Amino acid sequence: GGQMVPVRLHAAETLLEGRSVDEELLGGLYEQILIEYQPIGDAFASAAYRKQTAANLIAARIWRSWNSNGDTRYM
């Protein structure tokens, strides 16, 4: 949102491919997003806040989606 142009997080995607979703994978994914995602801060939210929020949302959504389906493999 805001001033950000959508981008793919290729290293984060690669980290997930063919792996079972578990706490270790989600922790690694969270860290990779913090490294790879480069948002722009503004008067409403700092770049650091946007990174943390994105990492939290993505990891939580992946966990919820695959946990509720009973399928723990990402791709």
Side-chain angles (χ1 to χ4, degrees), residues 41-55:
D42 60 24
F44 300 103
S46 69
Y49 175 80
R50 291 175 193 257
K51 277 185 175 215
Q52 185 178 22
T53 301

Side-chain angles (χ1 to χ4, degrees), residues 28-52:
L29 174 65
Y30 180 89
E31 294 300 323
Q32 182 58 44
I33 293 167
L34 293 179
I35 293 167
E36 193 173 0
Y37 181 48
Q38 299 299 315
I40 299 170
D42 60 24
F44 300 103
S46 69
Y49 175 80
R50 291 175 193 257
K51 277 185 175 215
Q52 185 178 22

Side-chain angles (χ1 to χ4, degrees), residues 21 26 59-73:
V21 177
L26 291 176
R61 182 64 183 121
I62 288 172
W63 176 257
R64 190 174 328 128
S65 177
W66 273 268
N67 195 35
S68 67
N69 291 335
D71 181 5
T72 60
R73 308 258 335 145

Side-chain angles (χ1 to χ4, degrees), residues 8 10 21 27 41 45 54 57 66:
R8 288 183 71 168
H10 293 284
V21 177
L57 288 171
W66 273 268

